[in-house]
Amino acid sequence: MKRFWLSGVFGLALATAACADNSVEETDAASDAVASEAQDDAAAAQETELASLVQDAPAETGAEVAEYAFPDDAWREVPQDRLLYIETDHGMIVIEMAPEFAPQHVERMTTLANERFYDFLVWHRVIDEFVAQGGGSRTNPSHSTEMDRVPGEFTVRRDPAELVVYETQDRVINPRSNPAMARAGFWNGFPVGTQAAALAGITADGQVESWLLHCEGAAAMARTSDPNSAGSQFYITRGNAEHLNAQYTVWGRVRDGQDAVNAIAVGTMGQDANFSPDTIRSMRVGSDESFDGQISVEVIDTNSEAFAIWLGPYWDQGLDICDIDVPVRITE
């Protein structure tokens, strides 16, 4: 039996406060087999260090999008080699990867998934309304790959004529580290921050700086304070994390299973004494011939006229780009 979903609900924010960590760090795995227990403890402490952050909690209800019959040519099907399937204790999470914005991070995630690196590791650091961070082990939350570190791909320079972003609003780059104004919009259904396309006419290389946004459902890479230190730990946002924009590398976006992300057990290994972490049962790339759980994922073309028509009636409400659920339909 086939199942079909079409998501298209705007979430309006309420001004209530919650505390969450403001960093997503991966500590280096011990390179020396005889490293002292004190060194391990220090690494774990770095991993779990907390700082307070006030964020808006999502509203329980929002303005529902009126039904709109998108034409067939307004949908694009996501190729299976761009889909990452993460089986959890609460169901499957399906992520569309974006190599145009983070090619080295997408390569790292697919390589590790193909090597079965993540199977039976845990969600070792989960903060409600912030992130679910995975890749640690039950005995060592600092667990990481021994592969070389991946350099930061926080932003990408793009030719606006080749990598087209549908710009929709002015938006602060990062409320903490860079409060300058830029633009925001959509690329292939991904929420994107960007310099205005018009600036390409005056830049030396004819390109502009762009970055994927940390709206709820962003899949990104953890790192240490060294910006070029990503290894294997990753996270998925359970709320909007604006202060991470253009500071951490977003390499994908949840297309199905955000409810599973939000159901992952909350707690931090090494900090919460009674925390029992949930498990990453498996992680597979859709093109893996040994994997038989593929689904069809279609995302509305956000550069299409149909999307502009669908979006139009709601734009006047002053909604932020992170409050917009780009329509997705899933067929099994």
Side-chain angles (χ1 to χ4, degrees):
M1 178 180 295
K2 290 189 174 182
R3 291 191 291 168
F4 173 86
W5 294 268
L6 174 60
S7 65
V9 177
F10 291 118
L12 298 178
L14 293 178
T16 57
C19 288
D21 196 331
N22 76 339
S23 63
V24 185
E25 296 190 347
E26 167 167 333
T27 53
D28 294 329
S31 59
D32 188 345
V34 295
S36 69
E37 182 178 350
Q39 289 175 314
D40 290 340
D41 290 343
Q46 180 186 10
E47 175 78 24
T48 59
E49 181 179 0
L50 292 177
S52 62
L53 170 72
V54 174
Q55 295 185 165
D56 287 339
E60 293 297 327
T61 59
E64 290 194 6
V65 175
E67 290 187 9
Y68 177 80
F70 288 100
D72 289 341
D73 62 2
W75 296 96
R76 65 173 182 87
E77 184 171 3
V78 182
Q80 289 296 326
D81 62 0
R82 285 176 174 251
L83 292 177
L84 194 63
Y85 294 77
I86 305 175
E87 185 182 4
T88 77
D89 298 328
H90 306 282
M92 188 72 78
I93 302 166
V94 184
I95 295 173
E96 179 182 1
M97 297 178 285
E100 290 84 354
F101 279 77
Q104 295 183 76
H105 285 75
V106 168
E107 181 180 5
R108 173 57 56 86
M109 292 300 300
T110 56
T111 296
L112 293 175
N114 287 333
E115 291 179 353
R116 311 304 194 243
F117 174 87
Y118 291 107
D119 291 10
F120 308 114
L121 294 182
V122 296
W123 302 94
H124 62 280
R125 182 168 176 264
V126 182
I127 301 173
D128 206 15
E129 305 299 340
F130 184 38
V131 301
Q133 186 170 343
S137 73
R138 291 187 183 276
T139 58
N140 180 15
S142 301
H143 179 70
S144 184
T145 178
E146 295 181 357
M147 297 174 69
D148 291 341
R149 302 292 95 175
V150 181
E153 295 175 307
F154 311 140
T155 66
V156 64
R157 293 197 67 78
R158 68 177 177 91
D159 180 341
E162 295 182 0
L163 202 64
V164 180
V165 172
Y166 173 38
E167 296 179 21
T168 58
Q169 66 179 116
D170 293 325
R171 202 172 195 275
V172 169
I173 295 173
N174 186 305
R176 286 194 170 186
S177 64
N178 189 351
M181 294 299 295
R183 297 284 290 165
F186 295 98
W187 168 81
N188 271 5
F190 287 81
V192 175
T194 185
Q195 291 178 318
L199 290 178
I202 60 173
T203 58
D205 58 0
Q207 299 183 337
V208 294
E209 205 82 9
S210 303
W211 52 95
L212 297 180
L213 295 175
H214 278 81
C215 302
E216 183 181 26
M221 215 67 166
R223 61 173 176 82
T224 68
S225 56
D226 177 357
N228 301 310
S229 61
S232 56
Q233 291 191 16
F234 69 98
Y235 61 93
I236 304 173
T237 53
R238 290 167 54 127
N240 300 334
E242 305 301 293
H243 65 293
L244 302 181
N245 287 337
Q247 297 291 314
Y248 287 77
T249 300
V250 178
W251 50 262
R253 180 159 186 78
V254 174
R255 293 304 187 195
D256 189 44
Q258 184 65 36
D259 55 343
V261 177
N262 294 340
I264 295 170
V266 173
T268 300
M269 290 179 60
Q271 176 179 307
D272 300 327
N274 297 320
F275 175 52
S276 179
D278 284 343
T279 302
I280 299 172
R281 295 185 178 182
S282 68
M283 186 184 295
R284 300 288 183 270
V285 180
S287 55
D288 186 336
E289 293 182 356
S290 67
F291 178 62
D292 61 1
Q294 293 88 347
I295 60 176
S296 173
V297 178
E298 294 177 279
V299 182
I300 206 67
D301 179 358
T302 45
N303 282 320
S304 67
E305 180 180 0
F307 178 72
I309 294 172
W310 175 84
L311 185 62
Y314 305 96
W315 207 244
D316 291 340
Q317 297 181 31
L319 296 178
D320 180 72
I321 191 170
C322 283
D323 295 324
I324 298 171
D325 290 332
V326 171
V328 175
R329 63 183 185 184
I330 305 295
T331 308
E332 289 188 351

